[in-house]
Each structure stands twice: as C-alpha cells, then as structure tokens.
Amino acid sequence: MRGHGDSTLDDGIRVTASDLLDDLVALLEHLDLPSAVLVGHSLGGNLAQELVRRHPQLVGGLVAIDCTWNTGPLSAIERFALRLAAPSLALIPARRLPRLMASASAVTPAAVEALEAAFARMPKARFLDVWRATTALVAPDPGYRTPVPLTLIRGERDRTGNIATAMPDWARAEGVAEHVIPNAGHVPSLDAPEAVSAVLLEAAR
C-alpha cells in the first residue's frame, strides 16, 4: 500500500482514498484472480468495503477486521467526532503520536511495541493523510447491503472510533455473525493471532 511499510512517495505526493482504491483495483486486475476474497483491517477494511461496492464483479468475499461500517448510519455526535478527529490528532506532537496510537490500538505489551515501531516509521503528515483517507470512505447509505459473502471480526477491547458499536450494528443489518476476539484490541491479529487465524480458516471453508 502506498505510503506504508517499504513503499516510497515523492515529496509533495499525498495519500488519498481514491489513489489507494485505484492501486487495489490495479493489483487485482494484474494478478487476474477470479473472485478474490479481500481481507481488510482498519483502513484496509474500509478500502475493501468500497471496492466491493464499486466493483463487486472483482470480489468473491469480504472479511472486515476492526473497521467501521462505511455505509452505516451515523449519529450527530459521531459525525462531529469524525470531523474533529484529524484536527485533534494534528495537535499531538509527532514524538508522542506513535506511542499514543499504539497504546490505543493494542492490548498486549508485545503488540503495543510492534505497533509503536510501525507508527514511528510513518511521518506525521502522512499518517494524517491516511487518517483522512479512511474517514473519506465513510458515507452512510441505509439501503446498501454487501453483495458478496461477509465475515466480520472485532477485537473485544477495540475502543477506536465507533467500531465497537458500528460492527455489531453492521452484523445485525447484514444478518451475519460478528466474531469478537477476546482480550484483543484494534489489532487482534497481533493481540490474539491464533484466534483470528481460526476465524479466517473457518470462513474459508
């Protein structure tokens, strides 16, 4: 994913939701995978939802892990919090942001340490762009339902954004189970990898 990990961006290039979606479509078309099952976590889950909505013919299934429901309803308070999130994060000093985000995202010490190192590799300005890209994908549409098989996974102790309420609502609206991972936060694949793997293997059957 551009702007993440070992990927590089030229100076002045911003990360946008539109570009990330174009990249994902290009990857699927390049790999020529028929009916690929997308497994997306956090921003990846929001991107995967939007790709399924725009290009359902490219996708055979969707697994969403600890992400908000793109098309779900938002209260007035949730709308306000969504608008305020990026400006609030911008006020946090860059040196403090990685630890703060890691502590908010994981439960186990090892997971917090790994996430802090990951957040520290991303410049603050790019992190804020990625955050804005995520929120740009949230667009309530009460009548929309996912047209491919759907699996929902959430860490029991995820307190980021509205995920703890949005994912159960999403499961009820779609008539699917929500798999809640005990003693895990926003990144259950680090807090409880075996439990997450078990759900993924079950969903693949």
Side-chain angles (χ1 to χ4, degrees):
M1 185 181 291
R2 70 170 70 191
H4 292 69
D6 290 332
S7 69
T8 59
L9 292 174
D10 293 335
D11 291 341
I13 299 298
R14 308 289 295 273
V15 175
T16 68
S18 178
D19 287 337
L20 294 174
L21 280 166
D22 288 345
D23 290 346
L24 183 52
V25 170
L27 176 63
L28 290 174
E29 291 178 342
H30 171 74
L31 295 174
D32 193 25
L33 296 174
S35 299
V37 176
L38 301 181
V39 180
H41 167 257
S42 196
L43 166 61
N46 299 111
L47 286 169
Q49 288 179 66
E50 187 64 19
L51 188 140
V52 168
R53 191 177 183 189
R54 296 188 188 188
H55 306 285
Q57 75 283 358
L58 295 178
V59 184
L62 170 62
V63 180
I65 305 176
D66 286 86
C67 59
T68 197
W69 179 16
N70 282 5
T71 58
L74 291 175
S75 67
I77 292 176
E78 287 173 330
R79 290 177 186 275
F80 178 74
L82 198 63
R83 290 195 300 269
L84 197 62
S88 297
L89 288 170
L91 297 175
I92 300 172
R95 67 182 183 280
R96 291 184 51 210
L97 193 58
R99 183 67 183 184
L100 186 150
M101 294 303 302
S103 298
S105 299
V107 173
T108 62
V112 171
E113 182 178 352
L115 287 172
E116 183 176 6
F119 281 119
R121 289 195 293 270
M122 182 177 286
K124 180 181 174 181
R126 186 175 302 159
F127 171 80
L128 293 174
D129 275 350
V130 169
W131 187 280
R132 293 185 186 99
T134 305
T135 59
L137 295 166
V138 177
D141 182 355
Y144 176 79
R145 294 295 179 266
T146 308
V148 299
L150 174 66
T151 299
L152 302 178
I153 301 173
R154 173 174 59 89
E156 178 187 34
R157 296 168 61 182
D158 189 340
R159 297 295 179 266
T160 59
N162 71 339
I163 290 172
T165 56
M167 290 201 86
D169 289 345
W170 187 6
R172 284 189 290 270
E174 299 269 11
V176 300
E178 182 197 25
H179 301 273
V180 180
I181 307 300
N183 301 313
H186 180 64
V187 189
S189 55
L190 288 180
D191 280 328
E194 292 182 359
V196 174
S197 294
V199 175
L200 293 175
L201 289 172
E202 181 64 28
R205 291 178 181 173

